[in-house]
């Protein structure tokens, strides 16, 4: 079974630019989650998509947005990049209707560097 | 709201030492509890889980028991190896929302 795949692996942008990060979930998973991991620790929840809809959002400004496509893959867009947006962005996928609760499966992340 | 508190790191041990990483949680209802591990340069991997009180999750020599009375899910391993060096995250799911602790950096020296 192929795992969660993220692209690109690394992304370098300058302040004010836009970044687009992509995620393909495990086959059959309908939920996609995005997390920001800065400074090597501490995951901050960004967004949760399921069945094409945004289900929940973390405490991030509106310039962080995304979408989920009919094939359940997802994009995270970050507009008007700021230096503090430099981080590892992790995508995870899961089922949400399994009992017991299905854990999240993570990709290896996209390292975004803003200069 | 839900929250997870982990012992602060970093933790440095010698090979074959005993490991405990403390984790306590606050949640409404009956959350499922998880430990994830992140090796350098990689994403998070599920290490073990427990879905109800008194369940013990175990994997690769690691164990954790879901203690509802103390709202804890401490991670233990009897004899750590250099290859266990990683960041460990305690997490819970309640209402389909996954909440992570801050992570604990573990370094095991030969």
């Amino acid at each position: 079974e192929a795992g969660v795949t993220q692209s690109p692996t690394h992304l370098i942008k300058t302040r004010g630019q836009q970044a687009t990060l992509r995620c393909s979930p495990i086959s059959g998973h309908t939920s996609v989650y995005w997390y920001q991991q800065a400074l090597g620790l501490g995951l901050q929840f960004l967004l949760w998509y399921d069945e094409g809809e945004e289900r929940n959002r973390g405490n991030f400004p509106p310039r962080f947005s995304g979408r989920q496509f009919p094939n359940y893959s997802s994009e995270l867009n970050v507009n008007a990049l700021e230096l503090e947006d430099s981080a590892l962005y992790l995508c995870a996928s899961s089922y949400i209707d399994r009992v017991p609760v299905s854990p999240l499966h993570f990709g290896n992340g996209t390292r975004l560097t803003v200069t | 709201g839900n929250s997870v508190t982990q012992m602060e790191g970093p933790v440095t041990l010698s090979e074959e030492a005993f490991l405990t990483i403390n984790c306590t949680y606050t949640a409404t209802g009956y959350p499922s509890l998880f430990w994830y591990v992140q090796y350098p340069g990689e994403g998070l991997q599920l290490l073990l889980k427990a879905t109800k009180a008194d369940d013990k999750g175990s994997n690769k020599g690691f164990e954790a028991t879901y203690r509802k009375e103390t709202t804890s899910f401490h991670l233990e391993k009897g004899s750590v190896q250099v290859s266990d060096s990683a960041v460990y995250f305690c997490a819970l799911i309640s209402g389909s929302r996954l909440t992570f602790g801050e992570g604990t950096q573990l370094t095991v020296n030969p």
Side-chain angles (χ1 to χ4, degrees), chain B residues 29-90:
Chain B
Y30 302 95
S32 294
L33 302 175
F34 305 87
W35 277 99
Y36 282 85
V37 58
Q38 185 177 31
Y39 298 103
E42 298 183 11
L44 276 70
Q45 301 175 26
L46 178 66
L47 181 59
L48 53 85
K49 66 178 181 180
T51 58
K52 61 183 188 298
D54 299 324
D55 266 3
K56 177 184 282 188
S58 61
N59 185 26
K60 300 181 181 180
F62 291 89
E63 293 183 341
T65 301
Y66 189 144
R67 302 289 188 197
K68 188 167 174 57
E69 64 277 12
T70 55
T71 61
S72 65
F73 193 55
H74 305 322
L75 182 68
E76 296 181 337
K77 187 175 185 181
S79 176
V80 293
Q81 305 300 312
V82 172
S83 57
D84 294 328
S85 298
V87 180
Y88 292 81
F89 292 90
C90 185

Side-chain angles (χ1 to χ4, degrees), chain B residues 11-16 80-82 84-85 106-110:
Chain B
V11 174
T12 302
L13 297 172
S14 298
E15 208 166 21
E16 300 183 2
V80 293
Q81 305 300 312
V82 172
D84 294 328
S85 298
L106 171 65
T107 301
V108 180
N109 295 319

Side-chain angles (χ1 to χ4, degrees), chain A residues 52-81:
Chain A
E53 294 191 13
E54 183 179 300
R55 301 291 186 180
N56 207 340
R57 182 181 180 86
N59 188 25
F60 280 84
R63 57 191 187 83
F64 286 84
S65 65
R67 55 180 171 167
Q68 187 178 33
F69 299 99
N71 66 355
Y72 304 117
S73 66
S74 176
E75 274 184 2
L76 174 68
N77 295 294
V78 188
N79 294 321
L81 285 165

